[in-house]
Amino acid sequence: MKTPSVRSTDLWSGVLFVTIGTVCLVAILHNKMGNIFHMGPGYLPRALSIILTCVGLWLIVRSFWTSSLIEPMQLRTAIPILFATALFGLVLQSIGIFFASVSTILIASTGAGRSLKEILLLSIACAVVTTLGVYAL
């Protein structure tokens, strides 16, 4: 008899999401929910907890039906992304959001194998949108 294959990452991610969603749902049960027109302090947390729990249940069910193999994480792409994220947090105050965004995208995309021209255009475009979005709010 053939044993069913299970994607363990989906299974454990689902278990984690269901656990977090359920714990948060129980923790905010004392808050008033209100209604859609007069939302109480428990409306959004309750909705997010329910959504997180449903996503977790979906991942658990999907882990039994999906049999494709998961590729191992490639450090060539993961390390620049982690480094760029940390660098963004460190230099944001000193060099500003525009240059912090450009440097973050440039560093994070080094493992992508794209051309330098494409990366520069993308980073500048994203930095402009980010800067306009932050200062427009």
Side-chain angles (χ1 to χ4, degrees):
M1 188 162 114
K2 187 177 179 183
T3 59
S5 60
V6 177
R7 288 181 69 170
S8 63
T9 53
D10 282 351
L11 178 67
W12 290 114
S13 297
V15 168
L16 180 68
F17 286 176
V18 168
T19 304
I20 292 172
T22 305
V23 166
C24 290
L25 191 59
V26 169
I28 56 124
L29 279 178
H30 66 278
N31 291 345
K32 291 184 180 181
M33 182 148 165
N35 59 37
I36 192 73
F37 299 109
H38 300 285
M39 292 184 214
Y43 192 87
L44 184 64
R46 187 171 297 170
L48 292 176
S49 298
I50 291 170
I51 290 170
L52 186 63
T53 304
C54 289
V55 168
L57 290 172
W58 176 73
L59 281 172
I60 290 171
V61 169
R62 191 181 90 165
S63 72
F64 291 103
W65 284 335
T66 307
S67 62
S68 63
L69 295 175
I70 299 172
E71 294 182 19
M73 183 172 58
Q74 297 178 0
L75 292 179
R76 181 174 180 247
T77 56
I79 290 176
I81 292 171
L82 293 172
F83 178 71
T85 305
L87 183 71
F88 181 82
L90 293 173
V91 301
L92 179 62
Q93 292 276 330
S94 59
I95 65 174
I97 192 162
F98 181 82
F99 293 111
S101 297
V102 170
S103 63
T104 300
I105 295 169
L106 285 173
I107 293 169
S109 61
T110 56
R114 306 265 184 186
S115 69
L116 183 60
K117 179 181 175 183
E118 186 179 12
I119 293 170
L120 280 171
L121 287 173
L122 177 67
S123 64
I124 291 172
C126 287
V128 167
V129 169
T130 303
T131 304
L132 290 176
V134 166
Y135 288 113
L137 297 176

